[in-house]
Amino acid sequence: MSTQVHANLTRDQVEQISEQLGEPEWLLETRLEALDALDDLEMPDVIRTPGRDWTNLDALDFESFVDPLNAAQDKERVSAEGIEVLEWSDAVAEHGDLLEERFGSVVDPEENYLTALSTALFTDGTVVYVPEGVDAEDVKIRTTMNSQSLFNYTLVVTEESSSVTILERQSTGDAVEGERYYSGIVEVAAGENSHVQYGSLQNLDDETYNYTLKRGTADTYADVNWIEANMGSRLTKSEVETTLDGDGAESHIVGAFFGHDDQHFDINSRVWHRAEHTTADLVTRGVLDDRARSVYEGVQDVGRDAWNTSSYQRENTLMLSDESEADASPKLIINNHDTEASHSATVGQVDKQDLFYMTSRGVDPRSARNMLVEGFFVPVLEEVAVDELSDDIEELVAERLRN
C-alpha cells in the first residue's frame, strides 16, 4: 500500500481522544487494535469497469490531511419526544452496555483501511436510541467541519415496533484553508417491525475529500431506507448498504448527485437479501457538468435462503458536458430461483428533441436546459420521503444550474 497515513499517528494520540470522551477500556482497546491493524489493511474496494480503475484512494496524501488532536466542528442535534439523541461522551456515560453490544456490530472496525482509521480517530459521535413502540420524526444532525480532518461516528438503534426519521447534513466552515478530509461511519440496527428513514445531504466544499460508509441491518418485518444526496466535495467515496436479515424486511436506497468542475463521485448502493419475502428498491440519478466524473455500482445479492425475493435497481446519469465522464456497473447476484429482480443503468445527454421543442416555443437555450435538468431529478425527488430534504436538494440543484 503506497499511503502510510499512520506514520504520523501514535498510540498516545488515540489514548488522548479516548480519555477526553470518557470511554471505557474495551472501547480504547478497540481503537488501539484498529490503529495497529492499519499496517495490514487495504483501502476500500473501488469500482472497476472494463479497462479502467476510476478511483485511486492510495494516491491521496492522507498524512497531510490527518490531524487527530485538532478536530473542530459546529454540531447541532435536534431530538424528538420519547427518544434519545446523544453526543458520544453522554452515550458512553448513560448507555455503556448498549454501545458495547452494538458498536462495530454492523460495520467491522477493521473492515478496511479507512474504517480502521475512522475507528481509531473519531472524536465525535451521535447515538440515536429509539425505545420500543416510539415513533419519532424530525431528528436532525448538522455538522459543520472547521478543521483539516474530521472523523464522525453515528449509531442508530431502534427497538421493536418503533420508527425514526433522521436528517443529516455535512458542510464545511471557513476556519481552515486548503485540502481537508472528512470521514463518516453510520451503523443502523433496526429491530423487529421497526422503521428507519435516514436522509443525508453532503455539501462539503471543493477542497474536501470525503469517505462515508452507511450500513444497516433489518430484522423481521423491519425496513431501513436511505436517502443519499452528494452535491459537494472534491472526491466522494460513498457506500450505502443494507442487509435484510429478517423475513419480510425491506430497504429502499435513493441517491442523487450533481458534479461540476473536476468533482469525482464513486457511488455504491448495495443490498443483501438473507431472509424470505424481502424487498429492495435502489434508485439513483446524477448529473455531471464541466470535467466532473462519476462511477456507480449497484449490487443486489440474493442468498440461497432468500425465498420469494423482490429486488429492483435503476441508475441514470445525465451529461451536460463533452468533457465529463460517467460509467455504471449494476450487478445481480442471485442464488435462489424464487426471485423477481431487475437492474438497469443509462448514461446520456440532454435530449436534443426536448431542447428543440422548448426553444421553438420561446424558451432560451440555457433556461430550457436547466428546466430539463430539474425535471430529470423529479423521479428521485418523488422517492424522497423527507420533505425538507427534498426541498434542500431541489434548491441546491437550482443554485448549481444558476452558477
Side-chain angles (χ1 to χ4, degrees):
M1 185 163 49
S2 60
T3 299
Q4 295 294 315
V5 63
H6 60 279
N8 64 344
L9 301 178
T10 66
R11 290 174 65 91
D12 181 63
Q13 290 172 324
V14 175
E15 289 169 353
Q16 285 187 58
I17 293 170
S18 186
E19 183 179 1
Q20 289 170 359
L21 294 170
E23 294 178 345
E25 187 66 25
W26 70 264
L27 189 48
L28 172 60
E29 287 302 314
T30 301
R31 288 181 180 269
L32 293 174
E33 289 170 3
L35 180 70
D36 292 340
L38 291 175
D39 280 321
D40 302 316
L41 293 174
E42 298 293 334
M43 286 291 180
D45 291 336
V46 296
I47 303 169
R48 295 177 171 87
T49 56
R52 183 168 185 181
D53 292 349
W54 284 77
T55 309
N56 184 4
L57 297 174
D58 289 302
L60 296 180
D61 184 13
F62 283 90
E63 284 193 46
S64 69
F65 301 151
V66 176
D67 189 8
L69 297 183
N70 291 306
Q73 64 179 333
D74 292 324
K75 193 85 165 189
E76 181 183 5
R77 298 176 178 89
V78 178
S79 187
E81 185 177 355
I83 73 169
E84 295 181 78
V85 180
L86 302 172
E87 63 178 281
W88 189 248
S89 56
D90 291 339
V92 167
E94 298 176 25
H95 289 288
D97 292 342
L98 177 69
L99 294 185
E100 189 167 9
E101 177 187 1
R102 296 295 189 176
F103 184 86
S105 63
V106 182
V107 177
D108 181 356
E110 298 175 26
E111 179 170 320
N112 59 56
Y113 194 83
L114 296 184
T115 59
L117 185 68
S118 185
T119 299
L121 300 181
F122 77 88
T123 52
D124 187 63
T126 301
V127 174
V128 179
Y129 174 67
V130 187
E132 182 177 346
V134 175
D135 296 328
E137 296 182 359
D138 298 326
V139 175
K140 297 180 176 64
I141 306 169
R142 300 186 181 98
T143 303
T144 302
M145 180 179 180
N146 293 323
S147 54
Q148 192 166 40
S149 62
L150 188 62
F151 297 85
N152 262 297
Y153 172 81
T154 303
L155 172 65
V156 180
V157 178
T158 57
E159 301 292 358
E160 184 177 346
S161 300
S162 64
S163 70
V164 65
T165 298
I166 300 168
L167 176 55
E168 176 193 24
R169 289 185 177 88
Q170 304 101 29
S171 58
T172 311
D174 300 323
V176 177
E177 295 182 358
E179 295 178 329
R180 306 176 183 88
Y181 178 69
Y182 178 88
S183 175
I185 305 296
V186 178
E187 294 188 282
V188 172
E192 182 177 346
N193 196 39
S194 68
H195 170 86
V196 178
Q197 179 86 33
Y198 198 105
S200 178
L201 175 57
Q202 180 271 117
N203 195 31
L204 299 164
D205 73 10
D206 58 9
E207 292 295 307
T208 304
Y209 295 89
N210 172 44
Y211 173 69
T212 58
L213 171 57
K214 299 179 175 73
R215 183 178 296 158
T217 60
D219 204 338
T220 304
Y221 297 117
D223 55 287
V224 176
N225 300 327
W226 304 96
I227 306 162
E228 177 83 350
N230 286 290
M231 299 293 169
S233 83
R234 174 177 292 185
L235 181 151
T236 283
K237 169 69 172 170
S238 168
E239 301 180 81
V240 182
E241 308 170 349
T242 308
T243 301
L244 302 174
D245 281 329
D247 292 352
E250 298 185 11
S251 183
H252 299 267
I253 302 176
V254 178
F257 61 88
F258 194 154
H260 71 154
D261 293 336
D262 63 348
Q263 285 183 280
H264 182 107
F265 295 110
D266 186 308
I267 306 291
N268 298 261
S269 298
R270 302 187 183 107
V271 62
W272 288 273
H273 297 265
R274 294 293 178 260
E276 298 181 12
H277 311 292
T278 55
T279 301
D281 192 19
L282 285 60
V283 183
T284 298
R285 287 205 168 196
V287 172
L288 298 175
D289 202 355
D290 305 320
R291 302 176 308 283
R293 299 170 304 281
S294 75
V295 60
Y296 165 87
E297 180 181 74
V299 177
Q300 302 146 275
D301 188 311
V302 181
R304 294 182 181 276
D305 297 325
W307 299 95
N308 192 24
T309 289
S310 299
S311 192
Y312 309 99
Q313 175 190 168
R314 50 203 183 278
E315 192 274 342
N316 308 96
T317 304
L318 183 65
M319 319 288 286
L320 303 183
S321 165
D322 292 337
E323 295 180 287
S324 59
E325 297 181 84
D327 208 338
S329 179
K331 294 182 173 69
L332 287 174
I333 304 170
I334 299 177
N335 297 295
N336 187 305
H337 68 270
D338 187 16
T339 296
E340 183 176 301
S342 66
H343 68 303
S344 66
T346 65
V347 175
Q349 297 179 323
V350 174
D351 189 280
K352 292 182 178 179
Q353 282 191 319
D354 290 343
L355 199 59
F356 175 77
Y357 176 86
M358 296 178 72
T359 55
S360 68
R361 279 153 179 78
V363 182
D364 68 88
R366 183 175 179 84
S367 296
R369 187 203 70 161
N370 291 354
M371 292 169 66
L372 290 171
V373 171
E374 291 174 330
F376 176 78
F377 277 112
V378 166
V380 164
L381 295 175
E382 289 176 344
E383 297 276 351
V384 176
V386 184
D387 291 339
E388 182 180 344
L389 180 56
S390 177
D391 292 342
D392 287 346
I393 295 171
E394 194 170 8
E395 182 178 334
L396 285 172
V397 169
E399 181 182 335
R400 179 66 55 85
L401 291 170
R402 288 194 299 268
N403 296 333

Short mmCIF file of all heavy atoms in Angstrom, two decimals, residues 107-159:
data_model
loop_
_atom_site.label_atom_id
_atom_site.label_comp_id
_atom_site.label_asym_id
_atom_site.label_seq_id
_atom_site.Cartn_x
_atom_site.Cartn_y
_atom_site.Cartn_z
N VAL A 107 -20.79 -2.50 11.09
CA VAL A 107 -19.58 -2.19 10.32
C VAL A 107 -18.37 -2.67 11.11
O VAL A 107 -18.11 -2.18 12.21
CB VAL A 107 -19.45 -0.68 10.04
CG1 VAL A 107 -18.14 -0.39 9.31
CG2 VAL A 107 -20.63 -0.17 9.23
N ASP A 108 -17.65 -3.63 10.58
CA ASP A 108 -16.44 -4.13 11.23
C ASP A 108 -15.42 -3.00 11.30
O ASP A 108 -15.04 -2.43 10.27
CB ASP A 108 -15.88 -5.31 10.42
CG ASP A 108 -14.62 -5.91 11.03
OD1 ASP A 108 -14.13 -5.38 12.05
OD2 ASP A 108 -14.12 -6.91 10.48
N PRO A 109 -14.93 -2.64 12.51
CA PRO A 109 -13.95 -1.56 12.61
C PRO A 109 -12.71 -1.78 11.76
O PRO A 109 -12.06 -0.82 11.34
CB PRO A 109 -13.60 -1.55 14.10
CG PRO A 109 -14.81 -2.10 14.78
CD PRO A 109 -15.32 -3.15 13.83
N GLU A 110 -12.37 -3.03 11.50
CA GLU A 110 -11.18 -3.34 10.71
C GLU A 110 -11.55 -3.89 9.33
O GLU A 110 -10.81 -4.67 8.74
CB GLU A 110 -10.29 -4.32 11.48
CG GLU A 110 -9.79 -3.75 12.81
CD GLU A 110 -9.01 -4.75 13.63
OE1 GLU A 110 -8.42 -5.69 13.04
OE2 GLU A 110 -9.00 -4.62 14.87
N GLU A 111 -12.69 -3.45 8.81
CA GLU A 111 -13.14 -3.92 7.50
C GLU A 111 -12.16 -3.51 6.41
O GLU A 111 -11.88 -4.27 5.49
CB GLU A 111 -14.53 -3.38 7.21
CG GLU A 111 -15.08 -3.79 5.86
CD GLU A 111 -16.55 -3.45 5.72
OE1 GLU A 111 -17.32 -3.61 6.70
OE2 GLU A 111 -16.93 -3.04 4.62
N ASN A 112 -11.68 -2.29 6.48
CA ASN A 112 -10.69 -1.82 5.51
C ASN A 112 -9.87 -0.71 6.16
O ASN A 112 -10.06 -0.37 7.34
CB ASN A 112 -11.37 -1.33 4.21
CG ASN A 112 -12.35 -0.19 4.44
OD1 ASN A 112 -12.00 0.84 5.00
ND2 ASN A 112 -13.59 -0.38 4.02
N TYR A 113 -8.96 -0.16 5.41
CA TYR A 113 -8.03 0.84 5.94
C TYR A 113 -8.74 2.07 6.48
O TYR A 113 -8.41 2.58 7.56
CB TYR A 113 -7.07 1.24 4.81
CG TYR A 113 -5.86 2.01 5.26
CD1 TYR A 113 -4.74 1.34 5.75
CD2 TYR A 113 -5.81 3.39 5.17
CE1 TYR A 113 -3.62 2.03 6.16
CE2 TYR A 113 -4.70 4.10 5.56
CZ TYR A 113 -3.60 3.41 6.06
OH TYR A 113 -2.50 4.10 6.45
N LEU A 114 -9.76 2.54 5.78
CA LEU A 114 -10.40 3.79 6.18
C LEU A 114 -11.40 3.59 7.32
O LEU A 114 -11.60 4.51 8.13
CB LEU A 114 -11.09 4.44 4.97
CG LEU A 114 -10.13 4.90 3.86
CD1 LEU A 114 -10.89 5.61 2.75
CD2 LEU A 114 -9.03 5.80 4.41
N THR A 115 -12.03 2.42 7.43
CA THR A 115 -12.88 2.18 8.60
C THR A 115 -12.02 2.05 9.85
O THR A 115 -12.40 2.54 10.93
CB THR A 115 -13.73 0.91 8.43
OG1 THR A 115 -12.88 -0.23 8.23
CG2 THR A 115 -14.69 1.04 7.26
N ALA A 116 -10.86 1.42 9.72
CA ALA A 116 -9.96 1.31 10.88
C ALA A 116 -9.42 2.69 11.27
O ALA A 116 -9.31 3.01 12.47
CB ALA A 116 -8.81 0.37 10.55
N LEU A 117 -9.08 3.50 10.29
CA LEU A 117 -8.60 4.85 10.57
C LEU A 117 -9.67 5.65 11.32
O LEU A 117 -9.38 6.34 12.31
CB LEU A 117 -8.23 5.54 9.26
CG LEU A 117 -7.59 6.92 9.37
CD1 LEU A 117 -6.20 6.83 9.98
CD2 LEU A 117 -7.55 7.60 8.01
N SER A 118 -10.91 5.55 10.85
CA SER A 118 -12.00 6.27 11.49
C SER A 118 -12.27 5.75 12.90
O SER A 118 -12.52 6.53 13.82
CB SER A 118 -13.27 6.16 10.64
OG SER A 118 -14.31 6.94 11.18
N THR A 119 -12.20 4.44 13.09
CA THR A 119 -12.42 3.87 14.42
C THR A 119 -11.37 4.35 15.40
O THR A 119 -11.68 4.70 16.55
CB THR A 119 -12.40 2.34 14.34
OG1 THR A 119 -13.44 1.89 13.47
CG2 THR A 119 -12.59 1.72 15.72
N ALA A 120 -10.13 4.40 14.96
CA ALA A 120 -9.06 4.83 15.84
C ALA A 120 -9.16 6.31 16.20
O ALA A 120 -8.82 6.71 17.32
CB ALA A 120 -7.71 4.55 15.19
N LEU A 121 -9.66 7.12 15.28
CA LEU A 121 -9.52 8.57 15.42
C LEU A 121 -10.81 9.36 15.61
O LEU A 121 -10.73 10.58 15.77
CB LEU A 121 -8.78 9.13 14.20
CG LEU A 121 -7.38 8.60 13.93
CD1 LEU A 121 -6.79 9.28 12.70
CD2 LEU A 121 -6.47 8.81 15.13
N PHE A 122 -11.98 8.72 15.58
CA PHE A 122 -13.18 9.56 15.62
C PHE A 122 -13.24 10.31 16.96
O PHE A 122 -13.01 9.76 18.02
CB PHE A 122 -14.45 8.76 15.34
CG PHE A 122 -14.96 7.91 16.48
CD1 PHE A 122 -15.84 8.43 17.41
CD2 PHE A 122 -14.59 6.57 16.59
CE1 PHE A 122 -16.34 7.65 18.44
CE2 PHE A 122 -15.08 5.78 17.61
CZ PHE A 122 -15.95 6.32 18.55
N THR A 123 -13.50 11.60 16.84
CA THR A 123 -13.51 12.47 18.01
C THR A 123 -14.92 12.89 18.41
O THR A 123 -15.08 13.56 19.43
CB THR A 123 -12.68 13.75 17.73
OG1 THR A 123 -13.15 14.34 16.51
CG2 THR A 123 -11.21 13.40 17.59
N ASP A 124 -15.89 12.55 17.61
CA ASP A 124 -17.26 12.91 17.95
C ASP A 124 -18.19 11.85 17.38
O ASP A 124 -17.94 11.28 16.32
CB ASP A 124 -17.64 14.27 17.40
CG ASP A 124 -19.01 14.71 17.91
OD1 ASP A 124 -19.16 14.89 19.13
OD2 ASP A 124 -19.93 14.86 17.09
N GLY A 125 -19.25 11.61 18.10
CA GLY A 125 -20.23 10.63 17.63
C GLY A 125 -21.61 11.01 18.11
O GLY A 125 -21.80 11.85 19.00
N THR A 126 -22.60 10.37 17.51
CA THR A 126 -24.00 10.57 17.88
C THR A 126 -24.66 9.21 18.01
O THR A 126 -24.51 8.35 17.14
CB THR A 126 -24.74 11.41 16.82
OG1 THR A 126 -24.10 12.67 16.68
CG2 THR A 126 -26.19 11.62 17.23
N VAL A 127 -25.40 9.03 19.07
CA VAL A 127 -26.17 7.81 19.28
C VAL A 127 -27.65 8.17 19.30
O VAL A 127 -28.07 9.05 20.07
CB VAL A 127 -25.78 7.11 20.59
CG1 VAL A 127 -26.70 5.92 20.85
CG2 VAL A 127 -24.33 6.64 20.52
N VAL A 128 -28.42 7.52 18.44
CA VAL A 128 -29.87 7.71 18.40
C VAL A 128 -30.50 6.40 18.89
O VAL A 128 -30.36 5.36 18.23
CB VAL A 128 -30.36 8.05 16.98
CG1 VAL A 128 -31.88 8.21 16.97
CG2 VAL A 128 -29.68 9.30 16.46
N TYR A 129 -31.17 6.46 20.03
CA TYR A 129 -31.79 5.28 20.61
C TYR A 129 -33.31 5.48 20.67
O TYR A 129 -33.79 6.44 21.28
CB TYR A 129 -31.25 5.00 22.00
CG TYR A 129 -31.95 3.86 22.71
CD1 TYR A 129 -31.83 2.55 22.23
CD2 TYR A 129 -32.75 4.09 23.82
CE1 TYR A 129 -32.49 1.51 22.86
CE2 TYR A 129 -33.41 3.05 24.46
CZ TYR A 129 -33.27 1.76 23.97
OH TYR A 129 -33.93 0.72 24.59
N VAL A 130 -34.03 4.57 20.01
CA VAL A 130 -35.49 4.67 19.93
C VAL A 130 -36.10 3.48 20.67
O VAL A 130 -36.00 2.34 20.21
CB VAL A 130 -35.98 4.69 18.47
CG1 VAL A 130 -37.48 4.98 18.41
CG2 VAL A 130 -35.21 5.74 17.66
N PRO A 131 -36.73 3.71 21.82
CA PRO A 131 -37.29 2.61 22.59
C PRO A 131 -38.46 1.94 21.88
O PRO A 131 -39.02 2.46 20.91
CB PRO A 131 -37.76 3.28 23.89
CG PRO A 131 -37.03 4.58 23.95
CD PRO A 131 -36.84 5.00 22.52
N GLU A 132 -38.88 0.80 22.39
CA GLU A 132 -39.97 0.02 21.81
C GLU A 132 -41.26 0.84 21.73
O GLU A 132 -41.65 1.53 22.67
CB GLU A 132 -40.21 -1.23 22.67
CG GLU A 132 -41.30 -2.14 22.14
CD GLU A 132 -41.46 -3.40 22.97
OE1 GLU A 132 -40.56 -3.69 23.78
OE2 GLU A 132 -42.49 -4.08 22.79
N GLY A 133 -41.87 0.79 20.55
CA GLY A 133 -43.17 1.40 20.36
C GLY A 133 -43.19 2.90 20.15
O GLY A 133 -44.27 3.49 19.99
N VAL A 134 -42.03 3.56 20.10
CA VAL A 134 -41.98 5.02 19.96
C VAL A 134 -41.83 5.39 18.49
O VAL A 134 -41.01 4.81 17.77
CB VAL A 134 -40.81 5.61 20.77
CG1 VAL A 134 -40.68 7.10 20.51
CG2 VAL A 134 -41.01 5.34 22.26
N ASP A 135 -42.60 6.37 18.04
CA ASP A 135 -42.49 6.92 16.68
C ASP A 135 -41.91 8.32 16.77
O ASP A 135 -42.47 9.19 17.46
CB ASP A 135 -43.85 6.97 15.99
CG ASP A 135 -44.45 5.58 15.79
OD1 ASP A 135 -43.67 4.64 15.60
OD2 ASP A 135 -45.69 5.45 15.83
N ALA A 136 -40.80 8.55 16.07
CA ALA A 136 -40.11 9.84 16.16
C ALA A 136 -39.81 10.38 14.77
O ALA A 136 -39.38 9.64 13.89
CB ALA A 136 -38.81 9.69 16.95
N GLU A 137 -40.05 11.66 14.60
CA GLU A 137 -39.74 12.33 13.34
C GLU A 137 -38.88 13.56 13.61
O GLU A 137 -38.70 13.98 14.75
CB GLU A 137 -41.02 12.74 12.61
CG GLU A 137 -41.90 11.57 12.19
CD GLU A 137 -43.14 12.02 11.43
OE1 GLU A 137 -43.31 13.25 11.27
OE2 GLU A 137 -43.91 11.14 11.01
N ASP A 138 -38.34 14.11 12.53
CA ASP A 138 -37.62 15.39 12.60
C ASP A 138 -36.39 15.35 13.49
O ASP A 138 -36.04 16.34 14.13
CB ASP A 138 -38.56 16.51 13.06
CG ASP A 138 -39.70 16.73 12.09
OD1 ASP A 138 -39.47 16.56 10.88
OD2 ASP A 138 -40.81 17.06 12.53
N VAL A 139 -35.73 14.20 13.54
CA VAL A 139 -34.42 14.16 14.20
C VAL A 139 -33.39 14.71 13.22
O VAL A 139 -33.35 14.31 12.06
CB VAL A 139 -34.06 12.72 14.61
CG1 VAL A 139 -32.65 12.65 15.17
CG2 VAL A 139 -35.07 12.19 15.62
N LYS A 140 -32.56 15.63 13.70
CA LYS A 140 -31.58 16.27 12.81
C LYS A 140 -30.19 16.23 13.42
O LYS A 140 -30.02 16.40 14.63
CB LYS A 140 -31.99 17.72 12.53
CG LYS A 140 -33.32 17.87 11.80
CD LYS A 140 -33.64 19.33 11.55
CE LYS A 140 -34.93 19.50 10.74
NZ LYS A 140 -36.11 19.01 11.46
N ILE A 141 -29.21 16.01 12.54
CA ILE A 141 -27.79 16.04 12.93
C ILE A 141 -27.08 16.90 11.90
O ILE A 141 -26.96 16.51 10.73
CB ILE A 141 -27.17 14.63 12.97
CG1 ILE A 141 -27.98 13.70 13.87
CG2 ILE A 141 -25.72 14.71 13.44
CD1 ILE A 141 -27.58 12.24 13.75
N ARG A 142 -26.65 18.08 12.31
CA ARG A 142 -25.99 19.00 11.38
C ARG A 142 -24.53 19.17 11.80
O ARG A 142 -24.24 19.52 12.95
CB ARG A 142 -26.70 20.35 11.37
CG ARG A 142 -28.16 20.29 10.95
CD ARG A 142 -28.74 21.70 10.84
NE ARG A 142 -30.14 21.69 10.46
CZ ARG A 142 -31.15 21.81 11.33
NH1 ARG A 142 -30.89 21.94 12.62
NH2 ARG A 142 -32.41 21.79 10.91
N THR A 143 -23.63 18.96 10.85
CA THR A 143 -22.19 19.05 11.13
C THR A 143 -21.55 20.07 10.20
O THR A 143 -21.68 19.97 8.98
CB THR A 143 -21.50 17.69 10.93
OG1 THR A 143 -22.12 16.71 11.77
CG2 THR A 143 -20.02 17.78 11.25
N THR A 144 -20.86 21.06 10.78
CA THR A 144 -20.04 21.98 10.01
C THR A 144 -18.59 21.73 10.37
O THR A 144 -18.19 21.88 11.53
CB THR A 144 -20.41 23.45 10.31
OG1 THR A 144 -21.79 23.66 10.01
CG2 THR A 144 -19.57 24.39 9.46
N MET A 145 -17.82 21.33 9.40
CA MET A 145 -16.42 20.96 9.61
C MET A 145 -15.55 22.21 9.68
O MET A 145 -15.53 23.02 8.76
CB MET A 145 -15.97 20.05 8.46
CG MET A 145 -14.55 19.59 8.53
SD MET A 145 -14.19 18.51 7.11
CE MET A 145 -12.48 18.13 7.44
N ASN A 146 -14.79 22.35 10.79
CA ASN A 146 -13.94 23.53 10.98
C ASN A 146 -12.49 23.16 11.24
O ASN A 146 -11.76 23.89 11.91
CB ASN A 146 -14.46 24.36 12.16
CG ASN A 146 -15.81 24.99 11.87
OD1 ASN A 146 -16.09 25.41 10.75
ND2 ASN A 146 -16.67 25.03 12.88
N SER A 147 -12.07 22.03 10.72
CA SER A 147 -10.69 21.60 10.92
C SER A 147 -10.20 20.87 9.68
O SER A 147 -10.97 20.58 8.76
CB SER A 147 -10.56 20.70 12.14
OG SER A 147 -11.47 19.61 12.05
N GLN A 148 -8.92 20.55 9.66
CA GLN A 148 -8.35 19.92 8.47
C GLN A 148 -8.84 18.49 8.28
O GLN A 148 -9.00 18.02 7.16
CB GLN A 148 -6.82 19.94 8.55
CG GLN A 148 -6.14 19.59 7.25
CD GLN A 148 -4.66 19.94 7.28
OE1 GLN A 148 -3.99 19.76 8.28
NE2 GLN A 148 -4.15 20.44 6.17
N SER A 149 -9.11 17.81 9.38
CA SER A 149 -9.68 16.47 9.28
C SER A 149 -10.75 16.32 10.35
O SER A 149 -10.69 16.95 11.40
CB SER A 149 -8.61 15.38 9.46
OG SER A 149 -8.01 15.46 10.74
N LEU A 150 -11.73 15.49 10.05
CA LEU A 150 -12.83 15.26 10.99
C LEU A 150 -13.35 13.85 10.78
O LEU A 150 -13.65 13.43 9.65
CB LEU A 150 -13.95 16.28 10.77
CG LEU A 150 -15.07 16.28 11.81
CD1 LEU A 150 -14.53 16.65 13.19
CD2 LEU A 150 -16.17 17.27 11.41
N PHE A 151 -13.47 13.11 11.89
CA PHE A 151 -13.96 11.74 11.86
C PHE A 151 -15.20 11.66 12.74
O PHE A 151 -15.15 11.96 13.93
CB PHE A 151 -12.90 10.77 12.38
CG PHE A 151 -11.65 10.73 11.55
CD1 PHE A 151 -10.64 11.65 11.74
CD2 PHE A 151 -11.50 9.77 10.55
CE1 PHE A 151 -9.48 11.62 10.97
CE2 PHE A 151 -10.34 9.72 9.78
CZ PHE A 151 -9.33 10.66 9.99
N ASN A 152 -16.32 11.26 12.14
CA ASN A 152 -17.59 11.18 12.86
C ASN A 152 -18.12 9.76 12.84
O ASN A 152 -17.93 9.01 11.87
CB ASN A 152 -18.62 12.12 12.22
CG ASN A 152 -18.72 13.44 12.95
OD1 ASN A 152 -19.12 13.47 14.12
ND2 ASN A 152 -18.37 14.53 12.28
N TYR A 153 -18.83 9.41 13.89
CA TYR A 153 -19.45 8.09 14.00
C TYR A 153 -20.89 8.28 14.46
O TYR A 153 -21.17 9.08 15.36
CB TYR A 153 -18.69 7.22 15.00
CG TYR A 153 -19.39 5.91 15.32
CD1 TYR A 153 -19.27 4.82 14.46
CD2 TYR A 153 -20.16 5.77 16.46
CE1 TYR A 153 -19.92 3.63 14.74
CE2 TYR A 153 -20.81 4.59 16.75
CZ TYR A 153 -20.69 3.51 15.88
OH TYR A 153 -21.34 2.33 16.16
N THR A 154 -21.81 7.53 13.85
CA THR A 154 -23.22 7.59 14.22
C THR A 154 -23.76 6.18 14.40
O THR A 154 -23.55 5.31 13.54
CB THR A 154 -24.06 8.32 13.15
OG1 THR A 154 -23.53 9.63 12.94
CG2 THR A 154 -25.51 8.44 13.59
N LEU A 155 -24.46 5.96 15.50
CA LEU A 155 -25.11 4.68 15.78
C LEU A 155 -26.60 4.93 15.98
O LEU A 155 -26.99 5.78 16.77
CB LEU A 155 -24.52 4.04 17.04
CG LEU A 155 -25.23 2.77 17.56
CD1 LEU A 155 -25.10 1.63 16.56
CD2 LEU A 155 -24.66 2.36 18.92
N VAL A 156 -27.42 4.17 15.25
CA VAL A 156 -28.88 4.25 15.38
C VAL A 156 -29.39 2.87 15.78
O VAL A 156 -29.12 1.87 15.09
CB VAL A 156 -29.55 4.69 14.06
CG1 VAL A 156 -31.06 4.76 14.23
CG2 VAL A 156 -29.00 6.04 13.61
N VAL A 157 -30.11 2.81 16.88
CA VAL A 157 -30.70 1.56 17.36
C VAL A 157 -32.19 1.78 17.57
O VAL A 157 -32.60 2.68 18.32
CB VAL A 157 -30.06 1.09 18.67
CG1 VAL A 157 -30.74 -0.19 19.16
CG2 VAL A 157 -28.56 0.87 18.50
N THR A 158 -33.01 0.99 16.88
CA THR A 158 -34.46 1.07 17.07
C THR A 158 -34.96 -0.26 17.63
O THR A 158 -34.66 -1.34 17.10
CB THR A 158 -35.18 1.36 15.74
OG1 THR A 158 -34.83 0.36 14.77
CG2 THR A 158 -34.77 2.73 15.21
N GLU A 159 -35.73 -0.17 18.69
CA GLU A 159 -36.30 -1.36 19.30
C GLU A 159 -37.58 -1.77 18.57
O GLU A 159 -38.03 -1.09 17.63
CB GLU A 159 -36.57 -1.12 20.79
CG GLU A 159 -35.35 -0.74 21.61
CD GLU A 159 -34.34 -1.88 21.75
OE1 GLU A 159 -34.61 -2.99 21.24
OE2 GLU A 159 -33.28 -1.65 22.37
#
